[in-house]
Amino acid sequence: LEESPLVHPDELRTAFALAMSHMYKNEVPLYGDLVRIVQSGNHKVITNSTPDSLDRLTLERHGAIRLGKPEELHTVRRIFALLGMHAVGYYDLSVAGLPMHATCFRPIDTASLAVNPFRVFTTLLRPELIRSPAAHDLALQLLARRNIFSQELLRILDVANAQAGRFRVHQAEIFIREALRTFSWAPVAEATQTEYQLLRAEHPILADIASFRTAHINHLTPRTLDIDAAQAAMAAEGMPVKDRIEGPPKRKWPILLRQTSFLALEEKIQFKVRDSDSDGDEAEDTHNAGLVDGSHKARFGEIEERGAAVTPAGRALYDQLLEESMHTAEDQKEAVDEALVSTFREYPDTWEELRKQELVYVKYSFTGKMPSSSKYDVVSPPIIESLIEDGVLETSPITYEDFLPFSAAGIFQSNLNQKPNSLQVRDALKQQSDVEGFEHALGCSVIDPDVLYSRAQKQSLESSLLKLKSLLL
Ligand code: OOG
Ligand code: NI
């Protein structure tokens, strides 16, 4: 048994993502419908110019979990590291009035992303931002009492550590089974109904984070190549889909991320009844706890369309136009979508312009065509431009692998049936980020996504030029 082969993290990630998808399909059948709609759409749309393979697209998902304690984030980091997923980016959700910050666990190198770009948006509660002292204390009490990881999981994590982060096949099976428990739905709350209501009055997300005994995934999102068509198909099937798509407006050259979702389901759960609630024998407390029926809204379905990763300049322009369109919508009482479309006319939308103004990251590939002259001895930017003009090098977008905090905020709000009021979001702009605190809990620093995109761009250029040179010799 000890000799069974070691599993590569990329392979383990695919097995894990498939197991999670299977679990979520059982828990939330509407998710299965979403996957079907998206995949049949993708088959129709896929072309040679689609930047990613159909295999990658078919597997591609992101999920989201919400954690309550720093120690939870620390162990979750260890779990994802074994799946070849690392913390990329810091998202301050206090800008949207939420007492939370987040990161995205995902593969970081081009080859692993091409195999399976599974990613998990992971939020950590910031108790210091909870306004009500009663809700603050109660949340901390409930969280202190829970342990979202099984003993078996903690044991197998140590085994992996002793094996340089790799599992043997039989260990991998235990790992997947036990890790999925952490992310599964536990319909029996740790909180009583009264406690739940108290947390919920402060913020529904707070009730979701602190009332339960697992860190249930709250959605699993397939990637569509045409979100407008997919959204229409969802509506045609009678799904309670949101009418707005978050993110940039529809474009010829998609950038960043566009997302939409169906609203959270009202699900039956049970609340604890502590003796102290009824006849007051505190000593018995959790022992004799009875249960009472109730319901909770947390889990929803989401789809997304991914476009090009943008450079810091491209991002600044995106943020500026987003801000402007919010103003326009506010001042002229115009619909947000119309304001977005008109404002975003200023964002270049031809590949040529996007590339030449360095608004997007670029993937270079060698076409196999030989240059017509020997003027290419020295490789510098002007020469690269002429290699592109001569058809020796080809360029294409690098896919955006991350998230958008304002879209995330919109997703948070909308899945709770609150009006995703852009004004509310903007007014909440308070800039209270705490990267240090987040990294301290994580136990390492978060990776800057721009470092990854520029590295991918540079590597694609270098390897293309290497191929060309080897043919010129
Ligand atoms: C996470 C929301 C963020 C996205 O796609 O932007 C997210 C959550 O609701 O926990 O998943
Ligand atoms: Ni999402």
Side-chain angles (χ1 to χ4, degrees), residues 62-64 121 218-219 221 259 300 302 304 403 411:
H62 86 249
F121 192 86
N218 60 54
H219 62 286
T221 302
Q259 306 179 305
F300 59 101
E302 181 191 52
E304 65 184 5
F403 291 89
I411 296 285

Side-chain angles (χ1 to χ4, degrees), residues 175-191:
F175 169 71
I176 291 178
R177 185 190 68 216
E178 294 302 315
L180 277 186
R181 273 190 196 184
T182 298
F183 305 126
S184 68
W185 177 242
V188 178
E190 186 56 42

